[in-house]
Amino acid sequence: MGLLRWLLGLFGANSGTAVAKAWTDQALRSTAGRPWRRPRLSSIRRNAVSPPLRRTPAPTTPQPAYRFARQGVAGMLESLRGRSSYLNLATDLDRTRLDRWNLPPLATPDELADWLEIPVGKLAWLSGRLVSGNRPPSTREAHYVFRWKAKRSGGARLIESPKPLLRQVQTKILREILDKVPPHAAAHGFVAGRSILTNAKPHCDRVVVVKWDLTDFYASVRYSRVVAIFRSLGFSREVALWLASLTTSAIAADLPFPESGPQALRPYLGRHLPQGAATSPALANLSAFSLDVRLSGLARAFGGAYTRYADDLTISGDDAFARQLKNVIPLVEKVIRQERFHVHAKKRKVIRRGQRQVVAGVVVNQHPNIRRDDFDRLKAILYNSAKHGPASQNPNGHPDFAAHLRGRIAHAAMLNSVRGEKLMRLYEAIDFG
């Protein structure tokens, strides 16, 4: 574990900057043979998180203005001279921004604790403020259960599942804060009223479809970025820091390495969004808002369409768009890097008409459709379940195999109603006892 402790010390928990860019890069101003126009600020803000508040020096007080107030560097230096000075980070709450989304006006840790219906001391414990470096000393003392999951492309992904009390807190933050703030119109993953179908429709019957995959999507969203999101909603600096601590994770110093080796730890060394927390998809969508703004503008400039489903990015277009791919692809990847995300180089795909064009599992060559191999596989499972019994087709031991099959049939019917009806007839012939 000495190597892990050394890496944690080397990389720290506060990497990244707090403020995302709001405008498209200079390189996008002249594309597809015509100037790219800067969008109006009002059009970006209409359905967006407001830009972060302007940073101003925090006032100081000789005594803590509220419990768990910080001293700051200057206050620590004054303490050495026998004087005390505490930061007051609760004075810059913006009710106008909070009222815009009907969010609770929380300025201090006590107000946050009352809203969450939990003692402020226990909330401080949950946020990691009571441990050195805001990092759990061991997996046993952490508020997450850590589990390594092998990736199909190689390597391992860290699944961080919150323990019951933290899960309860995160669920309230999701339902009563994050769910009220809409992401960009191009984001379709984990958004109410949107799905893989709405993500696929803009790319149907296109000459070419280009896909990118973002690697370590959640882990790329660091603590400072999450603080900026809550600040942009109007919460005070103090409450934004607490909310960010409650919705991000820092790995324990004794976390075991996966089988693929210690290099798999690198994306998780800083404090980050955990894959497994209820709040992470919504926060990831909000953190990618600037990315979605810029890539939507880039796609329109070339006559294409852009959507994002979680970490899957898709841009498609007609013949004129296809002829500009040599310009589009490097510009897209430049924007992704500037927005502090990472492209999985081996997963970029350019799919032309005549090939099977698949977007987030949906075939889009002419209209949204289920993949033929997926349909045939499910059809065979249903046929064999009717002939040999459902237990013979349940090798993974689904506790409610009937509901599992109905879910898969509903997915197929959403994409192709005719095939869905065929599958349902086979399902109705199964004797589940």
Side-chain angles (χ1 to χ4, degrees), residues 20 39 44 53 63 73 76 88-89 134 139 166 186 192 236 250 262 303 354 378 381 383 415 425:
I44 291 180
L53 297 171
Q63 298 296 328
V73 175
M76 293 178 186
N88 186 349
L89 303 179
N134 293 339
T139 54
L166 183 57
S236 70
L378 180 54
I381 291 172
Y383 176 82
L415 301 178
R425 285 196 293 270

Side-chain angles (χ1 to χ4, degrees), residues 49 170 173-174 177-179 181 183 190 217-218 221-222 225-230 233 243-248 272-274 277-289 308 341:
V49 180
Q170 290 176 344
I173 294 171
L174 173 66
I177 294 179
L178 298 175
D179 277 352
V181 185
F190 311 106
F217 182 46
Y218 288 152
V221 181
R222 299 301 177 128
R225 213 164 178 176
V226 178
V227 173
I229 290 171
F230 286 115
L233 298 180
L243 288 170
S245 294
L246 291 167
T247 54
T248 55
H272 58 275
L273 287 184
T279 48
S280 291
L283 286 168
N285 275 339
L286 294 178
S287 74
F289 186 87
R308 180 179 57 81
F341 291 105

Side-chain angles (χ1 to χ4, degrees), residues 97-111:
R97 294 178 181 229
L98 292 169
D99 290 345
R100 179 186 183 190
W101 307 114
N102 192 27
L103 303 179
L106 307 173
T108 67
D110 285 290
E111 291 174 356

